Amino acid sequence: MKKNIFSHITLAIATSTLMLSSCDYLDILPPEQATGEDTMETRDRMFNFLSSCYHAVLKINPVGFDNFYQSTDEFANPPLWQHESQIVSWNQMNGNKVPAIWGDTYSYIGHCHNFLRQIENLEEQGKLPLNATEEDVRICKDEIAFVKAYYHYRLLEAFGPIPMMEEMPSQNITAEDIPGRNHYDYCVDYLAQLFDEAVNNLPAVRQGPEWGRATAAAAKAIKSRMLVTAASDLWNGCFPFPEWKNKELTGKPEHDAVYGYDLVSLKYDRSKWERALEASLDALQYAEKEGERKLWTVADALEDFRSFPQFEAENNSEIKYPERLVWHGLETGDITKVYVPFATDVIKRYVDADENNDPTIDEFEKAVDKLAHVICMRMLPHRFENDGYKEIIWGYYQSGTSNRWMTRRNALFPTRIIKKTNGTWQHGWAAWAPTLYTVEHFYTENGLLPEDDTTFPQDDANKFARAGITEQHREDIIKLVCDREPRFYAWIGFDGGDFAPIMDEGKRPVILDMNSSDDTAADGVPGQGYSNQYNRDYSVTGFMTTKWCKINQINSALTGDDNGSNYENYPMPIIRLAELYLNVAECYAELDQPEEALTYLNVIRERAGVPELTVSEIEAAGKTVLDYVRAERFIEFYGEAIRYNDVRRWMIAPEQLSANKREGLYVDEGIFDPTFEEFNRRTPLRQNFQWEDRMYILPIANSEIYASKKLIQAPNY
């Protein structure tokens, strides 16, 4: 039988019992002799089987280091890496070169069906696994409903209309019976029903060793994301290939009677936004109440920050500050170690009590508040529930050194120079180099997009000019990176900025992109410019991502084999509370209710230390509330694999992802020690980025098409 979707599913069914035996069971019988009944013999075995059904959550993780979700306008990697994200963004995917997510995901959908089959076999016999209760079984079935729905949702997000595996297929199915794609709306309705069913018996929240298992809050949250996507332009009347239809009916009477051969609705339906709004409000309210979720705030961050010994303030008794600023932690934590252009200087001058150059109280308050929010947002990706971080609605924690980017391994920074345990410097990796579009689309400190802020440089001559900072090693900081919002300084690295406030035995390594020789360094840290010796390991844009670098990264050493011991794994969010706020805001904006949209948008802005917006401010800039909702999603979820779906569902990909749209500074032309003027100029990235409308969805393997009479390829592949 030719390889096809059902071969993935039946393979999972045939082999799942062979890989699920517990250690106790192995003591009794070799695993290859296990049967389906053995996997359900006891309560522990049943939950062991259930746990294995989650394995593809990590396998298809969208925030992985190398997958199609990273093929956006947020950042770029060295061209020699040839990662899947680059293959997608270079328009090199086709029926013979496809992402692995299709087969991997359908295999685990089959695995879920096998679990349900074993449960049903026991129920038909009037049995339960030993020591299990009926409630245990109900919870397991609802948990499987959630996992199965999530796997289908990820396929729907990547491939558009897909075959829905509602039941376990026969292992003897013929090519004539293999179903084709279901209509997109049918897929959404079916998955929404599955998510609703999963809520019935799932707990609202899980703690301790159960963290990461399905919850009712997670089911509602993923449903919100799915319905917002379904209401967006791509799937709500604007699909660019109106002639794309099934060649054969699916054979499902309830489907074919409504949709016939159609795969996508070609008329706008306002009710889809109304449905998404209802689901998003429900998900948000449930997550905050029953789910006990809350946004990570400055107060949360500073409580942790004050506990870090490397941030203890020196000469505390000599620090002067108004009593109302005690909550910022000045009395126990030295926030001046967090470098932000100008803001840090203001605080230092105030603390030093320079009578000739003493800032006003207002200037001091503003600077302290800004640095406090930088601390908050820098710490956001690196906290646990017991740190007070309860923003993750659903996520996972992966131990070990593999999948280091997926688990926040902080030994390898997204830069080129790192220090080995023997005290020497070596070249590391340069990943996720922010594009100029990213750098230019974080807000200014006034809370506006730079293009809308008349106080911000608007032409390249001013953007790329020196900012006038005289501190050693920071003289070449450009105006473009000054006077920006806190998230910019928390997550974006630039020439003259810091990797992290504390690293390398208490020193603060400064990013020196322009210099590539190892003897021209701040605090002994070599420059990170292009080198033909390390042409796989450099920032292709001149900027760096610091979002995954801990604020208190005090040791940057690696062993020579690149498996350093100074990493720390953190929970990876699949969806966090901030997204639900912005889902609600987007729905209101799409339904022409701007004031309601701003109510939810401003919550996220305020948390980030960004001034609230008003409708009049937005209109004065010639923008809409929807423009700013979309801008907020770009910033808040930078690097979290949200952008791939957003840029496609909004159908803005041609203007964002076409040739010459991705730009950086002048880095990769073999100028090893560029001058300031040579380095700081706008330059299209020298990679074969392309956009064709067929890229709105991914192709499936030709082998799948050949094995089925009903399954059709994506348009223009």
Side-chain angles (χ1 to χ4, degrees):
M1 180 176 174
K2 292 183 179 179
K3 184 179 179 182
N4 56 64
I5 182 175
F6 281 87
S7 66
H8 294 300
I9 292 177
T10 55
L11 177 63
I13 292 171
T15 61
S16 59
T17 57
L18 303 185
M19 62 183 186
L20 295 174
S21 301
S22 67
C23 294
D24 292 338
Y25 181 68
L26 288 174
D27 292 337
I28 301 171
L29 194 66
E32 62 270 14
Q33 298 179 32
T35 67
E37 291 183 359
D38 293 324
T39 63
M40 292 291 178
E41 184 179 17
T42 67
R43 181 182 186 274
D44 287 345
R45 294 185 191 278
M46 177 179 69
F47 279 102
N48 186 46
F49 193 167
L50 174 70
S51 175
S52 71
C53 293
Y54 279 87
H55 289 181
V57 173
L58 176 61
K59 198 174 183 66
I60 63 172
N61 162 44
V63 197
F65 191 53
D66 172 21
N67 64 43
F68 61 90
Y69 284 98
Q70 310 303 340
S71 58
T72 73
D73 53 353
E74 295 173 286
F75 39 71
N77 292 325
L80 291 181
W81 284 19
Q82 299 284 316
H83 278 181
E84 182 176 279
S85 61
Q86 295 168 300
I87 301 302
V88 170
S89 62
W90 298 338
N91 192 21
Q92 293 180 358
M93 283 286 174
N94 55 54
N96 296 314
K97 184 185 292 185
V98 299
I101 182 176
W102 178 276
D104 291 342
T105 308
Y106 273 117
S107 290
Y108 274 89
I109 290 173
H111 200 54
C112 292
H113 278 299
N114 190 28
F115 181 94
L116 294 174
R117 182 179 69 174
Q118 303 307 326
I119 288 286
E120 290 167 359
N121 288 344
L122 286 177
E123 290 177 334
E124 289 174 359
Q125 301 173 47
K127 296 180 180 179
L128 291 173
L130 185 65
N131 298 324
T133 66
E134 291 184 358
E135 182 180 2
D136 288 333
V137 173
R138 284 197 301 270
I139 289 175
C140 285
K141 291 169 73 172
D142 286 330
E143 210 162 332
I144 286 294
F146 170 85
V147 174
K148 187 173 73 166
Y150 176 72
Y151 290 157
H152 276 98
Y153 158 71
R154 282 299 185 194
L155 289 167
L156 187 69
E157 186 179 62
F159 298 97
I162 56 171
M164 301 302 295
M165 297 297 104
E166 301 173 45
E167 298 177 352
M168 186 174 66
S170 167
Q171 296 187 40
N172 298 317
I173 193 169
T174 64
E176 288 75 15
D177 294 328
I178 296 176
R181 299 176 186 255
N182 294 121
H183 192 281
Y184 186 89
D185 292 350
Y186 178 89
C187 297
V188 168
D189 290 343
Y190 172 71
L191 297 182
Q193 181 181 346
L194 275 186
F195 285 126
D196 289 342
E197 291 174 0
V199 171
N200 293 337
N201 290 302
L202 293 179
V205 62
R206 295 185 189 268
Q207 303 287 356
E210 290 194 345
W211 190 92
R213 285 178 60 186
T215 65
K220 288 176 178 286
I222 299 295
K223 176 185 172 183
S224 163
R225 180 191 285 178
M226 179 183 70
L227 292 181
V228 167
T229 298
S232 301
D233 289 351
L234 183 62
W235 306 113
N236 196 5
C238 298
F239 190 72
F241 300 98
E243 302 303 319
W244 188 53
K245 300 177 184 291
N246 271 331
K247 297 179 180 178
E248 303 278 347
L249 293 175
T250 66
K252 298 177 181 178
E254 71 281 7
H255 175 282
D256 296 340
V258 177
Y259 302 107
Y261 297 92
D262 292 342
L263 288 171
V264 180
S265 297
L266 301 177
K267 293 183 179 179
Y268 172 75
D269 185 351
R270 177 184 171 89
S271 69
K272 290 184 177 181
W273 282 113
E274 294 169 344
R275 182 187 187 190
L277 174 61
E278 181 181 4
S280 299
L281 283 169
D282 176 55
L284 175 58
Q285 293 162 4
Y286 187 90
E288 291 190 318
K289 187 178 180 181
E290 289 86 351
E292 302 173 10
R293 302 297 88 193
K294 63 184 288 290
L295 294 174
W296 175 253
T297 65
V298 164
D300 298 322
L302 291 181
E303 184 175 349
D304 272 359
F305 181 77
R306 289 193 292 267
S307 70
F308 296 155
Q310 61 268 33
F311 288 110
E312 290 181 358
E314 300 175 2
N315 302 319
N316 287 342
S317 61
E318 300 179 9
I319 294 179
K320 67 171 186 174
Y321 53 87
E323 290 184 4
R324 62 182 178 275
L325 292 179
V326 169
W327 71 276
H328 277 298
L330 271 178
E331 77 284 11
T332 55
D334 187 359
I335 66 175
T336 63
K337 292 181 180 179
V338 179
Y339 177 75
V340 171
F342 301 120
T344 304
D345 177 62
V346 167
I347 296 174
K348 286 181 177 178
R349 286 191 286 117
Y350 189 93
V351 170
D352 292 342
D354 184 351
E355 296 181 359
N356 297 322
N357 194 22
D358 197 6
T360 66
I361 286 290
D362 287 343
E363 289 174 323
F364 177 64
E365 285 185 345
K366 183 178 179 181
V368 168
D369 189 69
K370 187 170 187 176
L371 262 68
H373 280 91
V374 171
I375 292 168
C376 174
M377 301 312 293
R378 183 61 169 265
M379 293 173 71
L380 182 145
H382 310 114
R383 312 316 299 154
F384 294 96
E385 287 261 338
N386 58 9
D387 296 321
Y389 181 59
K390 299 184 182 297
E391 186 163 333
I392 295 179
I393 297 174
W394 188 44
Y396 61 87
Y397 178 84
Q398 172 77 6
S399 62
T401 60
S402 61
N403 301 310
R404 50 183 162 253
W405 286 98
M406 292 182 272
T407 56
R408 312 288 201 246
R409 181 183 179 188
N410 294 294
L412 291 180
F413 303 113
T415 182
R416 216 189 85 201
I417 304 297
I418 46 183
K419 197 173 187 179
K420 295 172 63 174
T421 49
N422 63 6
T424 63
W425 293 97
Q426 74 172 31
H427 294 263
W429 291 353
W432 294 357
T435 61
L436 263 179
Y437 181 85
T438 293
V439 173
E440 292 178 311
H441 282 79
F442 274 72
Y443 301 138
T444 68
E445 64 181 5
N446 297 321
L448 298 172
L449 289 168
E451 64 197 54
D452 297 337
D453 191 336
T454 57
T455 69
F456 195 79
Q458 296 298 311
D459 60 279
D460 284 0
N462 280 312
K463 288 179 181 179
F464 300 136
R466 287 184 174 91
I469 297 173
T470 58
E471 183 180 344
Q472 185 181 16
H473 303 306
R474 306 197 194 277
E475 301 92 340
D476 290 334
I477 288 178
I478 57 178
K479 292 180 180 178
L480 176 62
V481 303
C482 295
D483 302 322
R484 307 300 292 274
E485 63 139 305
R487 287 172 295 192
F488 182 89
Y489 298 111
W491 299 340
I492 303 297
F494 51 86
D495 195 20
D498 291 347
F499 286 120
I502 302 295
M503 264 181 28
D504 184 31
E505 300 174 350
K507 297 179 181 179
R508 296 169 58 171
V510 178
I511 301 172
L512 298 175
D513 273 326
M514 292 199 306
N515 303 312
S516 63
S517 58
D518 288 0
D519 57 353
T520 58
D523 295 331
V525 181
Q528 289 84 44
Y530 175 88
S531 167
N532 58 6
Q533 183 180 1
Y534 299 100
N535 57 4
R536 292 180 58 89
D537 306 317
Y538 68 104
S539 165
V540 298
T541 67
F543 298 99
M544 299 177 187
T545 295
T546 57
K547 190 171 187 177
W548 315 131
C549 181
K550 290 172 58 179
I551 195 169
N552 62 328
Q553 185 74 51
I554 59 175
N555 179 8
S556 61
L558 286 177
T559 59
D561 63 1
D562 191 37
N563 286 316
S565 59
N566 66 314
Y567 62 87
E568 190 168 359
N569 296 332
Y570 288 92
M572 173 65 70
I574 294 174
I575 189 166
R576 54 187 176 94
L577 189 64
E579 184 175 343
L580 294 184
Y581 273 96
L582 296 183
N583 285 354
V584 172
E586 183 174 351
C587 291
Y588 274 128
E590 289 282 3
L591 292 170
D592 301 318
Q593 299 180 60
E595 294 291 352
E596 290 83 352
L598 285 182
T599 297
Y600 290 87
L601 173 64
N602 281 329
V603 170
I604 304 304
R605 290 170 63 91
E606 181 182 10
R607 186 273 290 275
V610 177
E612 292 188 356
L613 276 175
T614 64
V615 173
S616 58
E617 286 177 311
I618 295 173
E619 291 177 345
K623 298 287 177 62
T624 67
V625 171
L626 182 60
D627 291 330
Y628 266 85
V629 170
R630 291 181 174 184
E632 188 67 31
R633 290 182 66 89
F634 179 85
I635 297 167
E636 177 68 21
F637 303 123
Y638 169 74
E640 295 186 39
I642 302 292
R643 182 68 171 172
Y644 177 84
N645 188 36
D646 283 352
V647 79
R648 285 160 173 77
R649 68 184 178 89
W650 294 332
M651 299 191 74
I652 61 172
E655 60 197 75
Q656 298 300 123
L657 306 181
S658 298
N660 298 321
K661 293 292 185 180
R662 295 171 177 88
E663 300 172 317
L665 301 179
Y666 197 77
V667 174
D668 55 352
E669 279 297 296
I671 301 178
F672 302 149
D673 290 292
T675 66
F676 178 87
E677 290 75 18
E678 286 174 329
F679 181 74
N680 289 289
R681 48 180 165 144
R682 185 182 301 275
T683 308
L685 298 186
R686 292 164 181 83
Q687 297 187 36
N688 190 30
F689 296 117
Q690 299 180 33
W691 177 261
E692 291 183 15
D693 283 350
R694 73 173 191 165
M695 297 164 68
Y696 275 120
I697 57 178
L698 294 174
I700 60 179
N702 286 333
S703 60
E704 302 276 5
I705 306 301
Y706 301 151
S708 171
K709 292 183 62 176
K710 297 177 181 176
L711 190 61
I712 64 170
Q713 185 58 278
N716 289 0
Y717 284 103

